[in-house]
Amino acid sequence: MIIVDAHQHYWQPSRGDYGWLVQAPAALQQAFLPHDLRAQRAAAGVQLSVLVQAAPTEQETRYLFELAQDDSSVVGVVGWVDMEAGDVSARIDALIRDGRGLLRGLRPMTQDLADPDWLARPSLDRAFDCIQDGGLSFDALVDMRQFPALLRRLRRHPRLNIVLDHAGKPAIRDGRFDPWTRWMEELSQHPSLHCKLSGLLTLLGEPMREDAIEPYVAALFAHFGAGRLIWGSDWPVLTMQADYAHWLQLAMHLTERYASGRQAEVFAANAVRFYALDIDLLNPRSTP
C-alpha cells in the first residue's frame, strides 16, 4: 500500500524567519532537512509526502520548492502568502508559477495571530477567492479560539477545500473533550471540510499515556468518517513525543479499529484527492 504523509516540515533556523522557534523546545531549534528524514521515512514504508510551511514568509515557501527538488518523495507543498496584501492575486499566481506544479495549498499561521476572528475578516474574501480559483486548498492551523471564525469562513466559501490541521488542536492535556467534540460535530457538517489525523501525540501532557488520544480519534472518525480524514506525521514536531514509525503504526491501528478496511483512504487516497496530487495509486511504478 502506498502511504502519503500529508503533513511534514523541513526548516533551517539560520534563514531567520521562524519566529515561533524562539519559544519552542531546544530540541526543535535546529535544522531538519531531507537527509534527516529520508531513512526514517523509508524504514516506515512511507513513499510520499506533502511539505507544509513553517514560517510566515513567501521566501520560505520558495525555499521549500528548492528542497523538494532534492527530495523526490515530496509531491506537494502547502505554502504561505500574505493574504492581506493588495496584490494577493499576483502573489498567489507567482507562487503557483515558481512551484511548477508543487504548490497545492496555502496556510497562514492563524493560531499565532492575536485576533481570533481573523479568518472571518471580509478583507480576506479576495484571497480566499484566489485560492479557490487557483485550484488550491486551504490548511486551517487553528485551535478552539478560532473555531467560530472558521465556521463563518466555511459558510462564506462553502466550495473551498479546507483541512483542519492537527484535529483543531484539542486540549488533551487539560482533559477538555466535550467543547472540542461539539465543535467537531458542527464543523464536520460542511462537506468541504477535511481533517488531519496528525499532531495528537504532542498535545499530551505529562505523565499522560498515549492511549489518552483514543477518545479524540474515535470522535474524529464518528464526525468526519474515513472519507475525510487525512494522516500526517507532523515531523519533526512529532519527535518531541514519538518516532516516525511509531506514530504511523499507532495511527494505522486506530484506523483499523474505527474504520476497518479503510486505511488506504486515510493514509493515501484522501490526501491525493484533497490536494489534487499527480499520483496514480493504482500504478505504484508511476510513483516518484
Side-chain angles (χ1 to χ4, degrees):
M1 181 177 80
I2 292 177
I3 299 176
V4 178
D5 181 350
H7 197 104
Q8 179 240 300
H9 306 285
Y10 294 137
W11 60 66
Q12 173 54 272
S14 64
R15 295 185 59 259
D17 51 2
Y18 306 90
W20 65 274
L21 269 178
V22 176
Q23 304 298 325
L28 294 180
Q29 296 180 26
Q30 58 181 303
F32 289 92
L33 297 170
H35 66 268
D36 297 307
L37 180 60
R38 190 170 290 119
Q40 297 178 61
R41 189 163 51 201
V46 175
Q47 295 89 346
L48 307 170
S49 72
V50 175
L51 199 52
V52 179
Q53 63 82 226
T57 66
E58 292 163 29
Q59 291 81 3
E60 195 242 4
T61 298
R62 290 184 168 87
Y63 174 64
L64 297 182
F65 294 156
E66 293 174 9
L67 290 180
Q69 301 306 315
D70 298 323
D71 186 349
S72 62
S73 297
V74 175
V75 291
V77 169
V78 176
W80 185 95
V81 72
D82 183 353
M83 294 180 63
E84 297 181 283
D87 60 345
V88 64
S89 178
R91 289 170 181 258
I92 292 174
D93 287 345
L95 288 175
I96 291 173
R97 181 191 66 240
D98 294 348
R100 299 181 179 179
L102 279 172
L103 188 71
R104 305 314 313 146
L106 291 167
R107 182 178 88 150
M109 302 184 80
T110 313
Q111 67 174 10
D112 298 330
L113 301 178
D115 180 7
D117 293 322
W118 183 82
L119 273 177
R121 289 182 179 181
S123 60
L124 298 179
D125 286 356
R126 175 60 180 157
F128 279 103
D129 288 342
C130 293
I131 292 171
Q132 184 171 284
D133 294 345
L136 302 176
S137 64
F138 181 79
D139 269 53
L141 178 62
V142 297
D143 56 32
M144 201 146 27
R145 296 169 303 151
Q146 291 103 23
F147 285 172
L150 175 60
L151 181 59
R152 296 199 295 277
R153 179 55 61 187
L154 282 164
R155 290 169 176 164
R156 197 172 300 165
H157 281 84
R159 294 186 297 107
L160 179 68
N161 281 333
I162 301 180
V163 65
L164 188 61
D165 285 356
H166 314 320
K169 294 203 164 183
I172 300 176
R173 63 172 52 89
D174 298 328
R176 297 177 61 196
F177 180 77
D178 290 343
W180 170 82
T181 194
R182 286 196 297 270
W183 270 108
M184 292 302 100
E185 181 177 9
E186 182 163 8
L187 290 168
S188 66
Q189 299 305 307
H190 294 262
S192 66
L193 181 67
H194 290 59
C195 183
K196 285 188 180 175
L197 182 59
S198 64
L200 294 177
L201 288 181
T202 50
L203 297 174
L204 292 170
E206 294 294 342
M208 298 177 76
R209 292 163 48 93
E210 66 183 23
D211 58 8
I213 74 170
E214 186 162 348
Y216 298 86
V217 174
L220 292 176
F221 278 100
H223 295 310
F224 288 94
R228 286 192 286 155
L229 286 177
I230 302 173
W231 178 77
S233 69
D234 196 27
W235 186 92
V237 182
L238 170 69
T239 62
M240 302 305 299
Q241 189 71 30
D243 65 36
Y244 194 92
H246 178 74
W247 166 235
L248 172 62
Q249 291 305 312
L250 176 59
M252 294 189 87
H253 172 73
L254 290 170
T255 299
E256 182 60 24
R257 177 173 298 175
Y258 294 105
S260 181
R262 307 284 298 274
Q263 289 182 340
E265 295 169 68
V266 176
F267 292 88
N270 294 343
V272 170
R273 172 175 48 80
F274 179 82
Y275 285 118
L277 301 175
D278 187 18
I279 300 298
D280 183 359
L281 294 175
L282 298 178
N283 183 15
R285 292 185 179 181
S286 69
T287 301

